[in-house]
Amino acid sequence: LTPRSLLISLAILRALISECRRDLALFSRSIVRIVNSALEVKVYQKGEPDLEVIGRAASCFIAYTTYAEGNSMGTDDAVGSTYLIVLRKFAVLATARPAGQDEKPDLETQNRTRLIGLAALNGVASSDAVFSSASDSRKQIDLVIPALLFNIFDGPIEALKVESAKIEVDASPSPFFTEFSARRPAPDRRAPSLHAHIPGEKGPAETDVLSAALRSLHALVRQCNVNTATQVLEAVFAFFDRVGWNDVERSCWLAERLTAFVTLQYRFVVPTRIVELLFDMDDNSSTRKQTTVVSMITTILNSSISLVGLGVTDLLNNLVGLIIRRLHIDETDHLLPPLVQCIASLGTHIYYADQINDIIEEIALRMAEIPTTDKSRPEILRVLIYAITGLLDSAMTADVAEARATAHRESFSANKGKAPARDSLLDQPVRSTGRRNPVSVEVWQETLPLLCEASYAVRAAYARALVLFLTNELPRDNNPVPIESPLYRFCNAVHAAIYTLAMSSCLGTGSSTSSIISPSDSPVIPSTEFKETSTDASEQGQVKSDQSESASKAEAKPGKNGVSFNLTEPTPFATPGDTTNGAATPTKRRRGSRRVSLPLNRLDSSLVLAHFENVATPFDFAVIVKILYELHDAVPYAALFTGVPMLLALDRDAGTELVRRPGDGRQNAWVLERKRSIREVLALIWKRLGDRWGLQELADFANKVCASPLLVSLVFGSCADSQLAPRAVRGSEPSSNAWRYPASSRGSHSILPSHD
């Protein structure tokens, strides 16, 4: 046939497809064969594809995909195989490059060729044939997706963002596809010609090709369900594997757009599948692919796109498991900071009220499961604590943004021209917006033993998280509450941890051969002054700890060089074979259950003080002051009733227990320096209580004690001097997340001896 006769024949075929669409299955095999043959037509004596014929063949193919049923193609193997051959040829046209490397490329012809191929792919993406069966849909998606992504990645990122914004306003197909469409609009206007160059008219631009590819991708993805969306993502990952994962910005943009394109109830598939891809990667190295994938997940979680049905806990467990795996291989892995940021992004959007509570509880459980014999345990705890801190930061930031947006909307619903009555609240800390529940004290109480960890880096990281919780999450209550309230149990546990941190001569866990001693032999606070600083051991109520002994019984036995922490009795929920007994982190907790508070249940330990950080440092005493300040500001009555007995017991025991005794192995515990620090901490707290409750005599006496030359300048001097700590301790805390206090000149006395 001549080209003109072929064009007429293809026009007749297209009309036949449109008019006989109910009987299309009778001649489907002939249709795909004719289209396949037409795509091989070349321009006479040039050898180039004939765009006129190819364009007419594309019209026939689009009409066929519009009216054909997918099941009919699947039942005929000849039709299905030829159909995939035709689809592959159109995919090649959609990625065409100008012929001839030495000549100036003909971009107009390239754009026309690509748009014809994209029009055919758009017809497939908008049809039912692509989702006819699982096997057929995968084959078609594997051909369509790479061609679309090739054009999307061929344009500038700025143009992509502009075209993406246009799709949000109008998601109709590209206007260049109108002449190929089998369903023409009522006003049949002439569309831009793609067949040949018309003198005086400009051909399609690169942005037109980019827009067409992006709209075709949108048409395909918006029809996906869980299975087909997974197939699309696998095709995207395969494309990235071929071209590389170096373009992080474009990859993150594509991940966000794919999530937005998917129907609302299926959007959770995108971040879930990307996390699974990350989890299945090799942990022995940190590659560009892993960094890009983590950035893609973080971008999706931080975006404004709603992810209804997202399995937050499953996502979290995969990320935490990946962190633990990589820390066991390399504690300086460069992928750890992005993973921490990724977990923190889970606090940006709230999908149910207790989401933040559940996340923190799950992280606490994972920390409790880490064996004490694990060499990477301190670094794992530190990294997971930073994940909790980032989670609280992102949740609070989102709360503030939500509160401001709500106040702004209410300002328009108020009286005309009048500012809202609550505008002044915008300048104050926003503690609740109604979008989530604050972190429960019962959940946070499970993490309090981390304040007494033997590793300075863990204590420093947890101190920042605890202060952040007390400042932003702890509910403010200036009225007395019942003694049975969880708030009292939390305050008891906080004071127990503070007492242990200040008094212990060797922070950490006891050896595996240590025997559990009875509470009556435990060198803790007498019950007459400090009742029950422990958490409940069961659902029925609090478990009282018998803690009565004199200071003389608190002396260490020969060969025992410190105090560690353990449970006085097995918890009713301990699993058989549990090897974490004696850990400084809480054992696994089930909902509705409570454990005995770990800090106050201490044992004589055979641990030998091996490092500076195994006892309280200047930083720790500064943290104690900050924690008690925040606690008394948030819940003054509960903090007063539970804190005053602890302060009295701490003052007494510091004078009786923190004494150098020859031969007891405590010479390296800096007992005299810690005694001075405890006394200054007590003076500062008594002064704060005197000012808070109007007890001027108490405040004046505390001021005199603070001004005494016998006390060192702790909070505003010594803890800011880096020379007080050895290099190993100073370098264990990252500078970007380090807890900092106002620096000032150091006094003449150091809390710790020099380390020259």
Side-chain angles (χ1 to χ4, degrees):
L1 295 176
T2 62
R4 189 177 299 275
S5 301
L6 183 56
L7 291 175
I8 295 174
S9 300
L10 291 174
I12 295 173
L13 178 61
R14 176 180 175 180
L16 187 63
I17 294 172
S18 301
E19 296 299 329
C20 304
R21 51 182 176 270
R22 295 182 179 178
D23 302 321
L24 205 58
L26 299 177
F27 55 101
S28 293
R29 183 180 302 181
S30 300
I31 293 173
V32 294
R33 285 181 177 179
I34 293 172
V35 173
N36 185 34
S37 300
L39 294 178
E40 299 295 335
V41 176
K42 306 293 183 180
V43 178
Y44 180 66
Q45 292 183 346
K46 289 187 177 181
E48 299 175 357
D50 193 332
L51 296 184
E52 289 285 344
V53 176
I54 292 176
R56 193 64 57 89
S59 300
C60 297
F61 182 75
I62 293 172
Y64 174 70
T65 57
T66 302
Y67 299 119
E69 296 180 359
N71 296 331
S72 62
M73 290 186 294
T75 56
D76 193 336
D77 294 337
V79 175
S81 59
T82 309
Y83 178 85
L84 293 177
I85 293 173
V86 173
L87 185 57
R88 183 177 291 105
K89 290 182 179 181
F90 279 117
V92 172
L93 290 173
T95 59
R97 290 286 189 184
Q101 300 296 332
D102 298 334
E103 301 177 0
K104 183 178 180 180
D106 188 354
L107 295 180
E108 182 179 343
T109 302
Q110 170 187 300
N111 296 337
R112 292 179 186 276
T113 306
R114 288 190 180 186
L115 283 172
I116 293 175
L118 290 173
L121 298 182
N122 181 75
V124 174
S126 305
S127 68
D128 296 334
V130 71
F131 301 120
S132 58
S133 65
S135 59
D136 292 339
S137 62
R138 175 178 290 276
K139 295 176 182 178
Q140 296 179 56
I141 288 173
D142 289 341
L143 293 174
V144 173
I145 291 296
L148 299 180
L149 295 181
F150 178 86
N151 289 278
I152 291 175
F153 274 63
D154 202 31
I157 186 65
E158 292 77 12
L160 282 174
K161 295 178 180 179
V162 172
E163 295 300 329
S164 178
K166 291 180 180 179
I167 291 178
E168 294 180 359
V169 178
D170 181 14
S172 60
S174 171
F176 290 93
F177 297 165
T178 306
E179 63 175 315
F180 302 101
S181 176
R183 300 168 181 169
R184 290 184 176 273
D188 192 359
R189 294 182 247 178
R190 179 177 175 81
S193 175
L194 296 177
H195 301 159
H197 173 71
I198 300 177
E201 293 185 5
K202 291 184 178 180
E206 295 180 0
T207 55
D208 297 325
V209 178
L210 184 63
S211 175
L214 191 58
R215 290 176 183 273
S216 299
L217 180 65
H218 175 263
L220 175 63
V221 174
R222 69 179 176 181
Q223 301 182 77
C224 292
N225 54 23
V226 174
N227 294 329
T228 52
T230 303
Q231 294 174 0
V232 169
L233 290 174
E234 290 176 354
V236 171
F237 299 153
F239 175 81
F240 282 151
D241 288 336
R242 290 195 299 269
V243 302
W245 296 77
N246 297 324
D247 196 341
V248 180
E249 181 181 6
R250 197 182 301 264
S251 301
C252 293
W253 171 87
L254 180 61
E256 182 181 3
R257 286 298 87 201
L258 287 175
T259 307
F261 290 164
V262 178
T263 308
L264 178 62
Q265 62 267 30
Y266 303 131
R267 287 178 180 171
F268 69 91
V269 177
V270 181
T272 302
R273 183 64 189 92
I274 298 177
V275 171
E276 291 175 356
L277 172 67
L278 178 66
F279 192 80
D280 294 337
M281 292 182 188
D282 184 17
D283 296 331
N284 293 324
S285 61
S286 179
T287 62
R288 172 66 69 176
K289 178 179 179 180
Q290 293 170 329
T291 305
T292 303
V293 170
V294 175
S295 300
M296 292 167 65
I297 302 170
T298 305
T299 300
I300 294 174
L301 296 178
N302 283 330
S303 67
S304 59
I305 302 171
S306 177
L307 298 173
V308 177
L310 178 67
V312 177
T313 303
D314 296 336
L315 206 67
L316 173 71
N317 285 331
N318 284 334
L319 294 173
V320 172
L322 182 61
I323 287 176
I324 295 175
R325 276 165 38 190
R326 298 190 70 89
L327 278 171
H328 283 144
I329 298 173
D330 183 9
E331 294 186 359
T332 61
D333 189 357
H334 295 292
L335 195 63
L336 294 175
L339 286 173
V340 170
Q341 185 180 3
C342 187
I343 294 178
S345 62
L346 290 172
T348 302
H349 297 286
I350 303 299
Y351 301 103
Y352 61 97
D354 282 331
Q355 176 177 319
I356 305 300
N357 274 288
D358 290 347
I359 293 175
I360 294 179
E361 185 177 24
E362 288 297 327
I363 296 177
L365 293 179
R366 297 301 293 269
M367 291 191 291
E369 294 171 354
I370 304 172
T372 57
T373 56
D374 192 340
K375 296 181 179 180
S376 300
R377 182 175 181 272
E379 191 65 16
I380 294 174
L381 293 178
R382 191 180 71 89
V383 173
L384 294 182
I385 290 170
Y386 276 124
I388 293 177
T389 304
L391 180 72
L392 294 178
D393 280 333
S394 60
M396 188 61 191
T397 301
D399 289 343
V400 173
E402 178 70 17
R404 293 184 182 276
T406 303
H408 181 69
R409 289 193 297 266
E410 291 180 355
S411 65
F412 287 99
S413 61
N415 295 333
K416 293 182 178 180
K418 294 183 179 180
R422 295 190 299 171
D423 274 354
S424 59
L425 296 179
L426 297 179
D427 299 329
Q428 301 177 4
V430 181
R431 306 194 182 280
S432 178
T433 60
R435 74 181 197 121
R436 68 177 179 93
N437 294 332
V439 178
S440 170
V441 294
E442 297 169 291
V443 171
W444 193 268
Q445 186 169 325
E446 304 297 324
T447 67
L448 286 176
L450 293 172
L451 191 63
C452 303
E453 274 289 325
S455 172
Y456 166 81
V458 176
R459 298 199 304 271
Y462 181 74
R464 182 177 185 271
L466 177 58
V467 172
L468 191 63
F469 167 78
L470 296 176
T471 305
N472 298 326
E473 300 294 329
L474 189 64
R476 263 47 186 170
D477 193 351
N478 293 323
N479 299 316
V481 294
I483 297 296
E484 297 79 9
S485 170
L487 187 59
Y488 272 89
R489 292 194 291 267
F490 172 76
C491 292
N492 276 327
V494 172
H495 290 114
I498 290 175
Y499 176 90
T500 305
L501 175 62
M503 289 295 301
S504 294
S505 296
C506 186
L507 295 169
T509 59
S511 64
S512 59
T513 58
S514 297
S515 59
I516 299 179
I517 60 176
S518 63
S520 60
D521 296 329
S522 179
V524 290
I525 308 164
S527 58
T528 56
E529 297 189 18
F530 190 20
K531 288 185 179 181
E532 184 179 358
T533 55
S534 62
T535 318
D536 292 357
S538 64
E539 300 176 0
Q540 284 75 22
Q542 294 178 316
V543 173
K544 307 279 186 179
S545 297
D546 298 329
Q547 302 164 343
S548 59
E549 69 161 358
S550 61
S552 60
K553 293 182 180 180
E555 297 181 8
K557 299 178 181 180
K560 307 294 185 178
N561 297 325
V563 180
S564 72
F565 321 101
N566 207 324
L567 299 176
T568 56
E569 58 185 17
T571 61
F573 304 103
T575 57
D578 185 10
T579 60
T580 61
N581 191 24
T585 50
T587 56
K588 189 170 183 179
R589 168 183 177 271
R590 298 179 182 177
R591 287 190 178 276
S593 65
R594 300 208 177 282
R595 301 171 295 98
V596 178
S597 179
L598 206 52
L600 269 188
N601 293 276
R602 301 175 294 136
L603 301 174
D604 274 348
S605 170
S606 60
L607 290 178
V608 177
L609 187 66
H611 200 272
F612 168 89
E613 63 180 10
N614 295 147
V615 294
T617 65
F619 171 88
D620 294 309
F621 288 105
V623 162
I624 290 174
V625 174
K626 180 65 176 178
I627 291 173
L628 292 178
Y629 278 5
E630 293 293 339
L631 192 64
H632 282 277
D633 288 343
V635 284
Y637 280 96
L640 181 68
F641 293 154
T642 59
V644 169
M646 187 276 293
L647 297 177
L648 296 175
L650 185 61
D651 186 24
R652 183 201 61 220
D653 293 346
T656 57
E657 292 189 25
L658 297 183
V659 178
R660 292 189 186 274
R661 299 181 179 90
D664 66 354
R666 295 174 182 255
Q667 288 86 350
N668 293 328
W670 294 284
V671 291
L672 297 182
E673 291 80 6
R674 288 191 293 116
K675 180 192 297 185
R676 298 175 187 171
S677 301
I678 290 174
R679 292 291 166 79
E680 182 168 357
V681 167
L682 292 172
L684 292 173
I685 300 303
W686 286 121
K687 179 181 182 301
R688 185 64 170 256
L689 291 178
D691 295 336
R692 173 67 176 80
W693 297 99
L695 304 175
Q696 190 59 40
E697 183 178 356
L698 177 61
D700 293 341
F701 182 77
N703 284 329
K704 293 180 181 179
V705 175
C706 290
S708 173
L710 297 178
L711 291 177
V712 297
S713 178
L714 170 66
V715 177
F716 300 105
S718 301
C719 72
D721 193 338
S722 61
Q723 294 183 357
L724 291 179
R727 295 180 181 178
V729 177
R730 297 199 301 269
S732 59
E733 184 72 0
S735 59
S736 58
N737 294 303
W739 187 273
R740 300 190 180 278
Y741 282 85
S744 65
S745 59
R746 184 168 61 140
S748 57
H749 298 278
S750 291
I751 293 180
L752 302 175
S754 61
H755 295 273
D756 296 335

